[in-house]
Amino acid sequence: MSAWKRAGVAVTAVAVVTGVAGCQDGDGKAAGADKAQTQSLGDITKVIRTAYEKTSAAKSAKIRMTMELPAGLEGGGGTMEMTGVQGWDPTVMDITVKGSMLGAANGGGPDKMRMIMLGNVMYMDMGAEQAAQMDGKRWMKLDMQAAAEASGDKALSKSMTGGLENMNQDPAKQLALLLDSPNLKHLGAEKVEGAETQHYKGTLTLEQMVATNKSLDVLSEKDRAALVESVKKAGITAYDTEVWVREDGYPARMDIGMKSAQGTVTMGMYFSDYGSKATVQAPPAKDTVDLFEMLKGLGAGGGKA
């Protein structure tokens, strides 16, 4: 039980970051990246809008993600790499995760893990060794919405309603946000994993991001203000998006970064095989332990959930 408690509590942080965070990768740096932009704002807008329409219609793709948390963050930061398939209409994901962040979080658990996401719910395969301690149950379930509601944070709970189809889980919505950037620019032509692309970048302040993020429309003005204030207290000041668009109009790569006083939390995503079938199923209930219910039980027993 102690091993599951240790691994479960720690891996929660990894799961939440996977759901809501935004590594800038060294691939494809443009020789002319700091030259004057070569496309007009009208041309840029047309390219990004077309990429948005194509990505939205595709609904899914194969994906490889790299994530990096700065050392200044509590826990010391780290890196992760995720590969698999992602769908954004509906929100599903079946990925394999590995990296220093996962190993540190698990406190001796597996250094490679399969994760499945269906809407608000994430399932983590903790491996055979952990399963042996839990009657053969190797899957850990984390219901994000239930956890948000139990936190007592009304704004957080409301923003989670309807699933994790937020800007960071849906590349189409990310492109829509990029269109709202007041400093959207073209950085030039680059190759990304052998494909010819055009590189674009835009930045939004926290206030601009909240104002343009339609997934927060469920919040009242009071709740929205409370959410902004809580994010400010966490030190997040700006939100960057870069995208590399292929000649066929689909994004080949997208980088997302959240700037804070501790450094920039960044996530790089590489896409291929748009429209790939994203059939994702939850593990059998008999093989699953509900992390949130387990933590509530620990709390009732005198521990801190």
Side-chain angles (χ1 to χ4, degrees), residues 8-25:
V9 173
V11 82
T12 302
V14 178
V16 172
V17 166
T18 304
V20 299
C23 141
Q24 307 238 14
D25 199 277

Side-chain angles (χ1 to χ4, degrees), residues 12-248:
T12 302
V14 178
V16 172
V17 166
T18 304
V20 299
C23 141
Q24 307 238 14
D25 199 277
D27 180 80
K29 291 294 182 183
D34 44 9
K35 294 182 180 179
Q37 68 180 54
T38 57
Q39 292 182 356
S40 69
L41 181 59
D43 289 338
I44 295 171
T45 301
K46 183 178 179 180
V47 171
I48 302 301
R49 191 175 300 279
T50 298
Y52 161 76
E53 292 170 351
K54 283 179 169 284
T55 304
S56 181
K59 299 184 179 181
S60 63
K62 290 182 180 178
I63 187 169
R64 174 170 61 87
M65 294 184 277
T66 56
M67 183 182 296
E68 183 175 320
L69 270 66
L73 289 181
E74 184 176 352
T79 61
M80 279 202 302
E81 180 176 314
M82 295 154 273
T83 56
V85 62
Q86 175 188 9
W88 43 89
D89 186 15
T91 301
V92 295
M93 187 179 288
D94 189 341
I95 57 174
T96 298
V97 185
K98 62 181 179 180
S100 64
M101 196 192 322
L102 179 65
N106 280 337
D111 56 6
K112 186 177 181 180
M113 179 186 294
R114 183 182 174 193
M115 289 186 179
I116 291 174
M117 188 175 74
L118 294 162
N120 295 314
V121 183
M122 184 170 288
Y123 300 88
M124 294 153 279
D125 184 352
M126 300 302 295
E129 184 176 342
Q130 299 288 358
Q133 301 179 44
M134 290 297 292
D135 300 323
K137 297 182 178 182
R138 63 184 295 157
W139 288 92
M140 184 177 290
K141 175 183 176 182
L142 175 61
D143 188 324
M144 302 280 196
Q145 185 171 331
E149 290 173 351
S151 73
D153 187 329
K154 187 178 178 181
L156 176 61
S157 179
K158 282 190 175 181
S159 67
M160 293 292 284
T161 301
L164 288 177
E165 296 116 350
N166 56 47
M167 55 193 171
N168 292 327
Q169 285 297 332
D170 185 339
K173 290 181 181 178
Q174 193 62 253
L175 289 165
L177 279 179
L178 185 59
L179 283 169
D180 287 316
S181 171
N183 58 3
L184 181 59
K185 54 189 173 184
H186 176 225
L187 299 182
E190 300 181 25
K191 277 193 175 182
V192 175
E193 298 188 327
E196 297 289 345
T197 72
Q198 298 295 328
H199 183 186
Y200 304 88
K201 181 178 182 179
T203 300
L204 292 171
T205 65
L206 174 61
E207 289 79 7
Q208 290 167 337
M209 180 180 69
V210 170
T212 57
N213 184 5
K214 300 303 182 184
S215 68
L216 297 179
D217 285 352
V218 295
L219 299 180
S220 66
E221 284 299 318
K222 182 180 178 180
D223 289 340
R224 185 186 292 260
L227 180 61
V228 171
E229 187 60 29
S230 67
V231 175
K232 282 184 176 179
K233 287 181 179 178
I236 296 174
T237 58
Y239 186 82
D240 295 331
T241 299
E242 295 185 60
V243 62
W244 288 256
V245 181
R246 300 186 323 214
E247 292 178 339
D248 61 4

